[in-house]
Each structure stands twice: as structure tokens, then as C-alpha cells.
Amino acid sequence: MKKNKPFGELFYRSLKKTLLTMRIAIILMILGILQVNAKEVYSQNTRLSLNFSDAELVKVLDKIENESEFFFLYNEKLLDTERKVNITEKDQLISSILDNLFVGTDVKYTIIDRKIILAPDYLSEVVSQQQNQVSGTVTDKNGPIPGVNVVVTGTTTGAMTDLNGKYTITISPDAKSLTFTFIGMQPQVISIGTLTKIDVTMAESAIGLSEVVVIGYGSIAKKDITGSVGSIKFDQGLSSLPVVDFGQAMSGKIAGVQVINGSGRPGTSSSVQIRGMNSISAGSAPLIVIDGIQLPGYDLNSINSSDIESIEILKDAASSSIYGSRGANGVILVTTKSGKSGKPILQLNYTYSVQEVIRKMDVMNAPEYAQASIDAAQNGWIKTGGDPNAPNTIAARGNYIYTWPTALEHPETLANTDWQDLVLRIAPMHKIDLRASGGDDKTNYSISAGYVNQEGIVITSDYQKYTLNLNADTKINNFISVGGMINFLYDHENQPFNRIVEWAVQYPSIYPVYGNNGYLGGPNTVDGFENYYAVLFRPVNGHPLYKINDDIQHQRFTTIGNLFAKFKLYDGLNFRTSFNGFLNRLDDTNYAAGDHGMGDTYKTTVSFVSNMNRTLNYTWDNLLTYDKIIKGHTFNMMIGYEYNHRDFYMLSAQRRDYNNDDIHYLEAGKTIYAADDDASQTNLISYLSRLNYSYLGKYILSASFRRDGSSRFGPNNKWGNFPSFSAAWRVSDESFMKTLPAISNLKVRASYGFTGNDNFADYIWVSQMTLAKVAIGNTLANSYYPSSIENPNLEWERTKQLNLGLDLGLFDNRIILDGNIYRSISDGLLLAVPVPASSGFTSAFTNTGEVKNNGIELGLTTRNLITKLKWQTQLNFAVNRNEVTKLGKDNAPMIYSLGTAGGMQKINKVGEAMFGFYGYQYDGVYMNQAEIDADPAHYASATPGDGRYKDVNGDGVLNSSDRTIIGNYQPDFTFGLTNSFTYGNFDFSFMIQGVVGGTIYDDDAHRSMLYHEGRNYLAEINNRWRSEEDPGDGYHYKLSTKIDGYEKTVSSYWLEDGTYYRLKDVTIGYSLPKIISSKIGVSNARVFFNGANLLTISNSRVFDPENFQNNSASNSLYFGVGGGQNTYPSAKIYSFGINVEF
Amino acid sequence: MNKYIYITIIIALSVLMGCNDKLELYPLTKTTEGTFYQNEVQIQQALDDIYRQLGNYYNANQIPDLFEQYSDNTLIILRTGADNYREQITDFFIQTDNGIINSAWENGYGSIYICNNVLYQIENTTVKIEESKLNLMKAQAMLVRSLIYFNMVRAWGAIPYIDKKITPMESYDYLRVEPDIIYQKLIADLTFCKQVLPGSYTGTDVGRVTKYGAAAILTKIYLTLGDNNNAKAELEFIISSNLFSLDSNNDGEVNINDYLYIFAPLTKNCKSSILEAQYKAGENAMNTRHQQAYTPFYWDFHLPDQTITFRGDGSNTPTTDLENEFEPNDPRLNTSIVPGYTIIGTANFVEYPYTNKFYDPNWQYEGQNFEIIRYADILLMYSEVTNDPQYLNMVRARVGMSAYGTVEYPSAKYPTLALAIEHERRIELCFEYHRFFDLVRTGRSIEVMRAKGYDINENKLLFPIPLHAKDVNPGLSQNPGYN
């Protein structure tokens, strides 16, 4: 056994003491390639040149690995890697090189595609079987695996497999089972029983240390990562999920990455929030990079999820600082599938799904609503000082709002319509993907097409999506290779009118769907309600079918593509130039129909709007990389230059006055109403560089530096610098760790980096002159006025982040822990600072303010069972705490009105989390007059049954200084828990995901509870205070049509708990045994059932609290706010699918 | 392989060279302030924006309108919106975080900034423009600024007074200034305007502010200050010009048609007009929202003579008290108050009065001008300062109403000339934003409003300084009675 051999150390330290005591210890390493589908082809076509004299063998092997795609597997203890060799080869096949290299030694080599196994020839001879021995063959899907460790479980008795994967092991009579381990493969435990022959098929470990992860402008072995990068490999199960946007496939998988489904509307993109909010006014959406193409806007729907090979998420600043001014919100790197050399593969996935609303909102039925309306009118009347016994007539009470239709007194005569049932439906969805891929040693290709046809769960909504992806690369010669990808996407959505769901929740249950004359049911078509039209009873234009004839369509064409060329300039020196393009075109049309199912009298003016948005974005990047290994010192250097140009154009036209609702084009409108456009451009120039250094794989350092110049910033601050530093130490590779065999992997990491945020509109620093129309007499003239304040100092918002991480693997990596703690400080916030209105402006866009985020993220993977029944558990957990540490002048708090109907407000205040809900603290109901009298801070108009509000500052008066932070949408913690099982050909997995803590605000609930124009109430209002004898639950105050207290004022009454736990995903799959599948001509076939969002546990009364977490990625002010217009609930989805591979 | 190295170096150099000019991008669809004000036309265009500001300021829900909502002329039955800001105003329980009060404050200062900026540009321009022309421009901006300040002072009392272009950072230092000091500055500015501005315009300039507009505002300021002598002088300056008359349609006869003509949709800057907010009907023009705002919050009915279903915002609904103030047979009632509407679907009539003074058949894109100060107002004020009923009677005679002092006049109800003028102003000028401050400046507001059951006291004669303004600049104090 040779010691202190640098190259050997690299592989050695991850082994454990148990192995040391074995007859032969094994260290094998798989570098790079994930999957090997072919044999021989690459090795028979690849030719190499080598020239070494008196060099260590390890250097030669290393050179071969660097110059080719070959990688070596060998037992360090059996191979003398320091043996000096002389070799001169020119354009030779690998086999001939290896022949020369090992001539005269006992080393035999085996080439399996790119994998070269080196072992002494005596290993290849297995002695014949004797008593008390077990033997067998260990294989993976490509064939036998040599060097697999076979141990009698719980002992140090062991053996290893030979070149043919065969082993023989002597066992004692009390031996119960055998454990098979191999780095990069999932360990297996098999009971012995009476068996003397045990054959084992090993499966690649999804969480192996040898994985390669994509990082910005390059890739790196997972073991060499110094920052915090989350990685999701899209295996067969994930690729075939019935998700339309790939965000849903990422949900709950990575700690600190919150994927939020803002709406169930087909075709909408989930939003992603990485490690809290760093910005108040600028956007908080992460940057998306697909195959190196940086998307100019955030959209997770721009590529088919089935085309994705892997997604990497750069979470810490040191990782994302290579994206400089765009990295502050984290970066999502998407790698699409490319072809692999070998036999061509044809894959087909088909999924049929049925969607159903996740749950309905609980609203009052007709009798309940009738009573509520009577109570409100009567209470309003009493409030004005009216005689409670006055007749229920307009003559006696003076105003319709203090009376009610007598029909309400006989609720049994009213319809009892469930409007949600009317507009929601069970909707089918089909998803088909087809992919062909293949390649040889020079060229790889992949071509795929996808099709989604989805009906929405809301009537009149449907969605179709077509994608096409081409991916190819080829090696022209030893110096030049070229490649590229192109992805086309076209989708089309019929959007329902945006208030249909809101209306369905709020339209009173007392009306029939259709009333007199077959017109829509409402006060004017139901006898007895005529005079209450719009007074107490929601008029007809709140009927869920009122806008059913509207026609709202969205079409999108997105083309993403790149072309790159790679030049091998010199030993380890490469130059790569890549042109990346993005072209997006959105066409939106909105036809507002004139006919409302109400007859001619109620026809309204028709308008038709047609919008066209075009975004062209291209990036040209040039990277020079140099990789060098000198005596265990590995250097990877990169310098680059990038130029980015974005060009946006929007054209909008509108006509009105259509003869009928037949033609939904501009052409048919009689009046040209509007024609408008908008245009903007952005340029970004960047210089980037990075150095990765590792010594013996134990000590890893990385530093990067990017300098960005952006057209968005003021002339005084066009350029910004974004450095980062990070380091990692693989403690488990140290020799002193050998005494701790339980620890199979231990790495500590630290990183510090700067990132920027430029996520706001162009030209903000310039004072723009806006053109306006001004009337003077009968003349319409043009006037100009300055609409913004010039700020030539406007610059980047900068985030500094410190990340400390720990990777721990225990018991042969049966338990893997990935933990990170971080602290980030964002300063120079791009902030619309409120300024005194007397300046002529209400806010000024400046670099002011500071926000701090601290957090902990934990990922835990355990392989609970590794027998024939395999069980793996993955848990992730994240906590983020956010605090505003500085604001504008004198740190004055900033209060924002949400502009929603309820007037909910939010606040940013130093020392508090960003964007807390702000208002009065609700404190239950005044149950009687005595309680009012006893409360010195009661408001003048308070009567029994009204709400009570806290006198927060205790000064005995309830006023605006009693407003306080009444909630914050930011959760206490989030988690995801996945359990997966396989047994034979069956696989089963389920994922639970949850958000715990946090407050949400539902504008719908708010409106229905306080409007007295006939919106249905939530069923919980049945627990309201009705009288001192019937006081309800003490929380819900009485209903009244006369509101003069705080009922409409912003208070915690309107907020609810955003906590939810969700059974996000359940999958049961069955793979056809090879014997059967090969008979029907397929190489792989699987059928599966998937259920998404099957169960949600939540205290909130909304459809889905997840929709409220973040319903607008572009404006953090609205996080936690939902309901109102544009409500489209999410769905439960039951799917059945098949995957076939030929 | 060396050739590749050279290629790389060449490529690298070519891309790395001087790209900085690529970062100098300016708005494509808009001009920037840095390149504006370069010639007389552009300065004029910047100036003309003050007329848009004036129009916005006299639109619905700005301070002048809030005076009407605050008066005994109007109430709210049902209206749009989920907050209770308007109820707070009509029912006298304004809270300091009232959003309408806040936006009225912000919009007022926004308009003042536009005026201050254009004054700064005029004073510092390098473009060669005649002195008299520059003064004319200056006076227009000054007049609009003065009018806005006058309204803001009446609404809030002491307020920050800014008469030059300042930066947001400087604005923190501008705290509340007592009304008397502001009034003196306004008087000085308006006196300058009165000297510089012409009495009338021709062609496309008709509608710009005149010296009589300046005099009319001065009159109101003097009346507010209780300076009847100066007010009288200003009124005489206006009346003696003989440019204005009650014969608004200029047909030689003074009758009810002249009253109706003022509220006809297309009437612009007529004979009766002293100062007028300018609007223009049609899409993409300079629209107003008066009709929309004051029409019932109701779906399915037609405005008189219209065939389209219409829904208003439901503010400024006339009170029964106002309706009762009209003498029997006063022809002005029909225009001022429509008693209700008929639901289309059921043909049921609903009693829900609303004003028809702002009638515009172009209901989506209204363009009816708004009379800020008109001749009837001038005559009524003149009657007040001279204590001579003949001017009051001119206004009444125009609509065929009996003269004050005759037996037909309801003297029992309005025994003194002062009360008769108060009554007449309420009828003649209802919904034109005069009522509340007429009562305030005559000192009768609390007495009159309390008698009608309004919860009003001395403190409520001023609005609260918006909480948001105080949050941003804690240096601002609050008016008494608000916290």
C-alpha cells in the first residue's frame, strides 16, 4: 500500500475503516458522464496524441481524461500510479495507447464506452466455488461492474468483484446478508438465506458525489462546489409529470427555493423566490438561463419541462455573482437534453389528466344569505336612529338600503344556486412528448416535440402549447467543435373573463341561473327584487355569466436558440464563443362583447383591443478557459466578455362600436379608438473572470469577478463590480478522518460574494417629458411636462452575502446532510422613496435603504432501506428572516396602499420585516354596551355587536397612531418531504410540501364581508353577532348597511393565516420487465399514475393559500395579497401516463 | 495551432474595444427634460400644461369638489369603492388617513410643481423671447398657481408654500406657513397677473386666463380676508370692463336660455365666463369626469336624452334640504336636480336625485367646461359688498324669479339681503363648489350646518393634514381636532 500519493488521496479519503480492514479495498471514481448507452463506438473512433517522457503514470491518465471523454476507474492500491512511463503517440486509438502504457505490467484494461477500468489481471480469475461461499455477478444496466465491494453485513469480511463483475465471498454460518457498495451507485443489502448465488443489479445513485452540476458559464463536479447550488435532475418521472410550466416540477425539492403557483390559469408561470426578498422596489424574480441563454424576462413556461435534463439553482451570492448585475435574486440554470452517443433512442411520453378545483370557497346558501341581508338592513336602520319596528317600506324608512324585499322572508321560495358549480368544471388535459436522440463520437443530436392540450377548470378557458427542440453538436476536428440548440414554443390561451371566479364566489345564492324571459337571473329578472336593483342586491353585471361572450386570447411565440464554437487552442486552453438569441412575441386580443344574455336593452358598447409585444434579446459571449493540473494542484481559469442587447416594442390598437358580436377583429369596429406604442432598449456590457483552484481535491478555492456596464443607470454610475470568493475543505479526505469511519463525506464551505439587481424599467434615471393633451377653448393642443426626476447617480442595488455550508455523508452516504446558513445585506436599494408631496413628486427613485436576510437551509437525504424494497427519504427545510435596516431620510417608515378595494396597507419600517401588513389590531366584538363603556378607547359610533380595535399605544383614544404591523406574508419556515420506494418493477413516491406561518390578505373575502350591495358572504359570517342573546363566536361583528365605524378601515380582521400543508405529489409507477418489453419491441416501458395537490390542510378560507404567496413576481408589494380580479383557483390533478422508449 | 491563438487575440481585442457608447441610451418614445425648452414653441408647450393642471384641479374629487361634498348640498346614498373616504367627508368624521384628502394634497402640489418649473424655465431661458411675451407666460403660470394655493389654504389653513423649483431633498425644509402670509403673496402675484394679462384673447388663445380672472380670484381672497373694500374695487374692475354679461349666449336677451346655455355641453368661454377650466370631449382629448362622478352608482338607466346604460360614481347626490331650498317654479331646479331615474328592465322609477348641470352626451369622454367663476357669481358678490339688491335681482330676473324686496319674494324665509344672497348663491351656484366656503367666510357655517344635524365644529372647518404627508415629513404639524 502506497501512501501520500496525491492522486490517490483524492479518491481514498471517502472510504471508511471497514474497507481498510478488508482484503482488498476499493476506490473507484466516476467522472462526468451520467449515462452510458453505447459501447466501443467512442473508443474505436477517438484518436489521441501523447508525448511524455519519464512522467508519472497518473499524469498520463490525467492527460487522457482532459483531452478526451475517457475516464479511468481503478483501485488505487492495486495500481502504481507513480510508475514513471515514457510514451509518444500520434493519433492513436485508446486501445493501442493503453497497450503501450501497460506493456509488461500485470494491469489489464477494459473499455466500456468512455469508461476505462484498470485492474491487475489476477483479479479476473475467480477461484471456483467452495463450501460456505456465496458468489454471483454484479451488474448495472450497462453490464458487469468490477471493483464492487461485497461485505458480509455487520462484519469486516469482504470481497470485491472482478473485471467481469463476478465475486466470491466466504461466509460464516451466522451471516445474514451481504452489502454491496460502489461509489456512485446506490448501496444494496441482500439477505443470504440459503442462497449460494446472489446476482445484484446496481442502480446509479441520484445523489452521488460524482455528479456534475452546471454553474454559470461552465460546470463543475458536485464535490468541488464551494457555494450553495441546488440541483434537480429531471429523471423519467419528473420529465413526464403533467406540468405545463417547469416550475411545478421543481416545487418542494430544494431548501430555500420557494416555488409558488400564483394561479391555476393554464399557461401561467410559477414564481420562484430564492432566499427571501432583497429588494423593495426592484423586481425579485431570479434570472433564468437556458443552455447559457439568459432570458430577458422571467417565465418558467418558455420551455417544455420534458426537454429539461437538469435544473441548477445558484442560491448564494458567490455562485450567482458571475451573473453580476442580474444575480441578486438568484439564478436558475436550465440544461436541456442533448443526445448521447450510441444507439438512437426514441422516447414517447403520454399523460392524460383530469383536473378539478382544489377546493371550493365556503359561502352562504340562500336562506343564510337572505337572513344576513335582512339583518344588515335592519341594523343599518337602527344605527340611523330608526324605530326597529317601523314597517319595511320605503315610505317608512326613506332609503332602500334600510329595507329588504319581502321575498327574503320566505327563503324557501328562492333559488339556491351554487355559482361555483356553474363556472368550475372537471377538465381534461393531454400531454404528449416525443424525443429522438443519439450520436456517435463526433456528433450528438436530440430532437423533440411536445404538445399540451388543456381545458381549464373554469369554463371558457383552454390552453394549447406546442414545442419543438433541436439540439446538436459536432466535432469538426481536434480543434474545433460547434453546436447549438433551438427551441420553438407556440402557445395559445383562451382566457376566461378575469372576474368570472370572483363573481361566482360573490353572486348571491338567492338567484336562479336564469330568471324571467330566460335572461340571466338577477334582481331585474326575479319577481320581488326590482326596486333593489343595485341597492342591496348585486345587479346583473355581477352574474358569473354576464361576460361569458367576451373573447380574450393570448398567443405567444418564443424562440430561444444559440450557436457556439469551441476552439482547442492549446493544451488545456480553450476558447468558446457563443451567440444566444431570444425572440418573443405576444399577441393579446380582448373582445368585450355587447350582448350579456340580458336582451337588447342591456347591450353595452363593444370594444376590441389588440396588443402586440415583441422582445428581441441577444447575447454574445466569449470565454477563454484554461485548465491545468500541476502535481495535484488543479487550476480552472476563465475570462470572458459578454455583450447583451434587448429591444422591446409594443403596439396597441383599439376599436369600438361593433354592429354585433360576430367578428372579433379590428376590421369590424366602426370607431378607431386608440393606437399606441412603446419602445425601449437595454444594453449590458460585461467582463467576467473566474478562478477555481483545488489541491488534492481537499482544499478548494474559487474566486470570480464580473464588471458590468448597463444602459439603465445614471451617467455617473454606469459600471459596477461584482467580486466573489469561496472556499471548501473536504475534511473527510484528511488522514486523521480515517479514525471516524462513520463519516463517509464531510465538506465545509464558505463563500462571500456581491451581486446586483438591475431589475427595473429602462430610462428611470432620466427626467422624461411626457406629452399630454390640453384644451384651450375649442383647441386641443400638445403640452409637455416633466414626469420624473433626473437622477444621474442611479446605480445598482448591491447584495453582499456570506454563506457557510456543510456537506455531511454518514454510513456510506446512507445519510446525506446538506446545510447552509447565510446572511445577506442588500444596500443602495433601488427604492421609490416617498418624498414630501410639496416637492411635486410623491416618490423619488434613488439608491437608498438596506435590507438584511438571514437564513438556514437544510437538506437531508436518507436511504432507509436498500434491500429489494428500497426506500429513500428527502427532506428540505428553510428558514429566512428578513429585516429592513435602513430607509430614506431619517429612516421614516414607508406606508403603501395596495390600491385594492379594501384599502389594505403595507409598511416598510426599520427593524421589521419588509412589507408587513399595516393597520388596526382587531380585538373581537363588543358584546354589549357595558363592554363599550368599559373601554376608554372605544370609538364614538360603537354599538353592541360592532368590532373592537386595540388601543395599541394605550393613550385611551383610538386613532391613527394605534395602527401597527398586523401581519407579514413571509412564512416562518417552509419544507418539502419526499419519500420514494421501489420494489421490483414498482415505484411509488409521495411529496408533502408546506409553508408554515405568514399572513395573507384576500380582497374577495374582504369585499364580500363589508359591501352591502349584494355580494354573498363567506359562510363563516353565519357566526356573527346577531344580538346579545345570540352573540355568535365573538369574532365576527354584526352586519349593517350603515357603516360609520372602523369596519371598512384596514385592520387585522381582514387577514388570515397563510399556513398550509399539502400532499403535493403522489406517483405510482410500474416498469414492464425487460423480458416483456423487449418482446413488444421496446427497450423500456413504464405506466404510472400521478396525483397532484390531492390534499391541502389550511386554516384559510381561500381556494388555495399558495396562490397568495406571491401573485406578482414583479412587485414585492403584492406578496401575500390575492383574490379580487384575476382569481383563478389551482387544481387537483389526477393523471395516468405511459413512458415508452425504443 | 498558433493561428488559433492569434484569432482569439484578434477576436478578444475587437470585442473588448470601446463599447462604452453603447451604454448611452435615452428614451425612444419620449423627449427628455435635458433636451427640452430649446425654443419658444417648447417653452410654450411646457407652459400650456398649466391649463391641464387647472382642468385636473377642478375635476371631480379634487379639493374644490370636496368643498361641495363637505357642504349641506350633497350626501351619499350609494357609491363606488370599498373604502369610506367619501362618507368620512360628507358625514364629517374625516380620519387623517383619508385617501381622497391625501390625493387632493398630492395633486395640488403636483400642479404647483408644474407651475414652478415652467416659471423657472421662463426666468432662466436662453431662448430669445420678448420680455412682454415672457411676462405674459409668467403671469399665466402664476395665476394658476395662486388659484391652487387659494383653494389649498382654504382647505388646510397653514400649508407649505413653495414658489420656486425645488428638489425633493429641499422640500423637507418647507413647513407650514400661516394663511395670512400666503394670502399676501397670492395678492402680490395676482396683482402682477392683473397688470400683465390681457382682458381677452382671440382665435385659439380664447380660454387662456385673463386679467379679470386674476381680479376675480383677488375678489374671493379679499372676501375671505373680510376686506370688502378691495373686493369691491376688484368687482368694479371686472364689471366696468363691460366684457361680461348675464347674456351668456350673446343673443341680446337675458333669460332662462342664458342660464341653460352655460350648462350646454358645447358652451365654451361664453359671455358669462370670467374664469373657466377647459376640457374637450372625445377620445384622447382633455376629458372631465363631473357627470360620471355625480351620476348615481347604478347600472341600468339612461341619462336624459341618452340611450346608453350608464353607471356613475354616486358622489355629490343632492340633499332634500337643497331641493327644498328651491323656490316653487324656479326653472333652475330642473337642470340642478333630476329627481331620479327609471330602471330600463322594469320601467320602475327610483327616487334618487342627481345633478344634471354637467350633462354631456359624450358620456364616456366628457368635455363640458367647468365655470370656476362666472358673472352671476360676480354680481352676487357685488350685491354683497355694496349691500345693493339690484345685482341680486339681475340674477333672479334672468330666470324669471321675483325680485328681492317685492311681495312675491319669500321674505319670510330670507328676511335680510345677506340671507337672500346666501340663498341665491346656493341655488344659482349649487354643485359649482361655492357653498361651503360661502358659509365659512360669512361665519355662518357652524350655525347653519348644525341646525341641519351635521356634526360640525370649529376644528372641522379645516381638513386634516394627510397622515401620509406627516409620515413622510414629521416636521409638519396637524390641525387641531385631528390626530
Side-chain angles (χ1 to χ4, degrees), chain A residues 531 533-534 541 569 601-602 620 641 656 673 683 718-719 767-769 775 777 783 785 895 901 963 1048, chain B residues 1 4 15 20 22-23 30-31 33 49 52 78 82 172 278 283 298-300 344-345 348 365 467 471:
Chain A
N531 293 333
Y533 191 48
N541 81 346
L569 300 176
T601 329
Y602 292 96
W620 185 31
Y641 165 84
R656 293 192 166 179
Y673 174 70
N683 283 339
K718 288 280 186 205
W719 290 90
S767 169
Q768 305 192 29
M769 295 300 283
S783 72
Y785 66 99
I895 299 164
R963 292 175 304 164
K1048 286 193 174 186
Chain B
M1 254 191 291
Y4 295 109
V15 298
N20 274 4
K22 298 257 187 219
L23 301 182
K30 277 183 181 156
T31 356
E33 205 175 3
D49 204 66
R52 200 172 60 88
L78 199 73
Y172 285 94
Q278 311 286 314
E283 298 109 61
Y298 223 74
W299 275 261
D300 291 294
I344 303 163
N348 280 13
Y365 317 102
L467 185 64
D471 281 344

Side-chain angles (χ1 to χ4, degrees), chain A residues 399-401 477 479-480 524 530-535 539-541 567-570 575 601-605 620 622 624 641 643 656 671-674 677-685 687 709-711 718-719 763 765-770 772-790 834-842 844 889 892-893 895 901-902 920 957 959-960 963 1010-1011 1013 1042-1046 1048-1049, chain B residues 1 4-5 8 11 14-16 19-20 22-34 36-37 45-46 48-49 51-53 77-85 87-88 91 93 95-97 105-106 109-110 113-114 117 160 162 166-169 171-172 174 203-208 266 268-269 278-280 283-286 297-300 302 308-309 311 341 343-346 348-351 363-365 369 467-468 471-474 483:
Chain A
N399 192 325
Y400 283 110
I401 66 171
N477 55 37
F479 308 116
I480 303 172
N524 58 336
E530 299 83 357
N531 293 333
Y532 292 84
Y533 191 48
V535 178
V540 75
N541 81 346
F567 303 90
K568 261 191 186 167
L569 300 176
Y570 191 69
F575 175 70
T601 329
Y602 292 96
K603 281 191 175 166
T604 54
T605 312
W620 185 31
N622 297 282
L624 195 60
Y641 165 84
Y643 174 73
R656 293 192 166 179
T671 314
I672 296 175
Y673 174 70
D677 69 358
D678 190 19
S680 66
Q681 291 182 335
T682 321
N683 283 339
L684 191 65
I685 297 169
Y687 303 94
S710 166
S711 61
K718 288 280 186 205
W719 290 90
Y763 317 125
W765 74 270
V766 193
S767 169
Q768 305 192 29
M769 295 300 283
T770 298
K773 299 286 183 194
V774 59
I776 297 170
N778 267 315
T779 322
L780 197 59
N782 286 338
S783 72
Y784 286 88
Y785 66 99
S787 51
S788 52
I789 310 170
E790 183 168 299
V835 294
S838 52
S839 67
F841 294 92
T842 51
K889 185 172 155 61
I895 299 164
Y920 291 91
V957 189
N959 61 29
S960 55
R963 292 175 304 164
L1010 65 79
Y1011 258 73
E1013 53 165 19
K1042 172 77 178 172
I1043 289 181
D1044 55 2
Y1046 282 75
K1048 286 193 174 186
T1049 311
Chain B
M1 254 191 291
Y4 295 109
I5 296 174
T8 310
I11 292 170
S14 64
V15 298
L16 295 178
C19 288
N20 274 4
K22 298 257 187 219
L23 301 182
E24 304 292 320
L25 296 184
Y26 290 92
L28 297 166
T29 57
K30 277 183 181 156
T31 356
T32 62
E33 205 175 3
F36 206 74
Y37 315 117
Q45 284 173 327
D48 285 351
D49 204 66
Y51 287 97
R52 200 172 60 88
Q53 300 305 321
I77 291 180
L78 199 73
R79 58 159 191 83
T80 182
D83 55 68
N84 62 351
Y85 297 152
E87 282 86 349
Q88 289 179 19
D91 296 343
F93 68 103
Q95 290 162 1
T96 53
D97 57 351
W105 170 277
E106 291 177 352
Y109 280 111
Y113 174 80
I114 301 285
N117 177 57
I162 297 142
I166 57 165
T167 65
M169 277 302 125
S171 68
Y172 285 94
Y174 286 83
T204 54
D205 286 330
V206 174
R208 290 182 186 275
L266 295 175
K268 305 260 179 218
N269 308 308
Q278 311 286 314
Y279 303 100
K280 184 132 178 78
E283 298 109 61
N284 302 313
M286 175 65 194
F297 180 58
Y298 223 74
W299 275 261
D300 291 294
H302 295 160
I308 198 84
T309 54
R311 182 178 78 160
Y341 53 84
I343 299 172
I344 303 163
T346 61
N348 280 13
F349 181 78
V350 177
E351 276 186 38
W363 58 279
Q364 279 176 307
Y365 317 102
N369 277 10
L467 185 64
H468 180 68
D471 281 344
V472 174
N473 190 0
N483 36 38

